[in-house]
Structure formats: C-alpha cells, structure tokens
Amino acid sequence: GASAGGNHTAVWTEEGELFTFGAGRFGRLGHGGEDNERVPRLVQALSGKKVIGASAGGNHTAVWTEEGQLFTFGAGDYGRLGHGGEENELVPRLVEALAGKKVLGALAGEHHTVVWTEEGELFTFGDGYLGNLGHGGQQNELVPRLVQALAGKKVIGGAAGSNYTVV
C-alpha cells in the first residue's frame, strides 16, 4: 500500500516493511535525520514490526502494525504526534497513550491525527482549530482523546483534511 502526503510518501510491503521518501524536514521520513530521500528508503527503526498501514500527512507520518500499535514521527507542533508534548520525532515513536487498544487505522491530517480501534472507538489529537478534533471545542489535544459524540457507534474509516475530519 501507499500514502502520499503534501511533501513525502510512505509505502508498506506485504512483508510489513515501511519505506519512505521525499522531503525529510521535521523527521517526517523516520530515518533519524532531516535529509531528503529521492528513492524509497527502509525505515530501520521499525524492523521486527509488521507494518500494515501508514498515513503521510503534511509534516508527519502515522504508522500502525499488525499488533495494533501506533507509531508517529515528524513535526510535533500542536501535539499532532500524540506523545504529550510538541517535540519533533525523527524516528517512529510508539504512542503509549493507546496501549491496550488495537489500532486498525489512522489518518495524518495537516496538523492533527485521527485513529480508530478494533472496538470502533475514534481518537483524535493535535490542532483543534475550527473543531476538527470533534470534542466540541477548539483546544489542541497533546495525547489521543476519545471522541465521545461517537460513543456507541463503530467507526470503520475516515478522511482528514486541513481543518476537518470525516468518519
């Protein structure tokens, strides 16, 4: 499969390897630096994990594994990586706040991230501008927060744009 962001591309293979290429600024390629890559390069930090999906956003990347773990990397402003701060991450980092949940999919938007789980729950984090996180306000969320308005519904997919989310 493949996902094309504004400045980079993420590709995963049947074997579960992740390759990224394009603009490396903010660490969005996950190789430990900010170099641009002109050809697909294996993301070594995820070796031993079976990647089954990835979403390339504007300046960050979200990746999920067969085990249901979510990893994010790249630009951390607005809390879009879900690690509790706003630091950039140059290699994939596990989103620990989702431990115990099995992630089935994720979307890296321009400044926010949307995640759904095996239970059908929807979590969002990052830039809350214009209410695009679905929590009723506009504040940023630095860690994944459950979208309460969808309690009782089983979310199975979605799309994320610059300032909106569709599920």
Side-chain angles (χ1 to χ4, degrees), residues 99-111:
K101 304 281 183 186
K102 183 166 186 177
V103 172
L104 292 186
L107 300 161
E110 188 66 25
H111 299 114

Side-chain angles (χ1 to χ4, degrees), residues 21-155:
F21 53 101
R25 191 169 178 214
F26 307 114
R28 65 182 143 221
L29 299 182
H31 302 301
E34 296 190 78
D35 292 344
N36 298 340
E37 299 292 339
R38 295 174 186 254
V39 296
R41 179 178 170 192
L42 178 67
V43 178
Q44 297 278 4
L46 289 171
S47 64
K49 303 282 184 189
K50 184 166 186 179
V51 173
I52 60 168
S55 180
N59 293 317
H60 74 298
T61 308
V63 176
W64 56 101
T65 67
E66 188 173 57
E67 291 180 354
Q69 295 177 307
L70 181 73
F71 293 84
T72 58
F73 48 98
D77 53 336
Y78 306 101
R80 71 177 104 182
L81 299 182
H83 303 302
E86 295 189 77
E87 297 79 20
N88 296 347
E89 299 290 341
L90 303 182
V91 294
R93 180 176 170 189
L94 178 67
V95 179
E96 294 177 13
L98 291 171
K101 304 281 183 186
K102 183 166 186 177
V103 172
L104 292 186
L107 300 161
E110 188 66 25
H111 299 114
H112 71 297
T113 306
V114 179
V115 179
W116 57 96
T117 68
E118 188 173 53
E119 296 81 24
E121 295 172 309
L122 185 75
F123 293 86
T124 60
F125 47 98
D127 186 7
Y129 181 62
L130 298 178
N132 62 341
L133 299 182
H135 303 300
Q138 294 193 62
Q139 75 265 27
N140 297 347
E141 299 291 341
L142 303 183
V143 294
R145 181 176 170 191
L146 180 66
V147 178
Q148 296 286 354
L150 291 171
K153 307 282 184 194
K154 184 160 185 165
V155 174

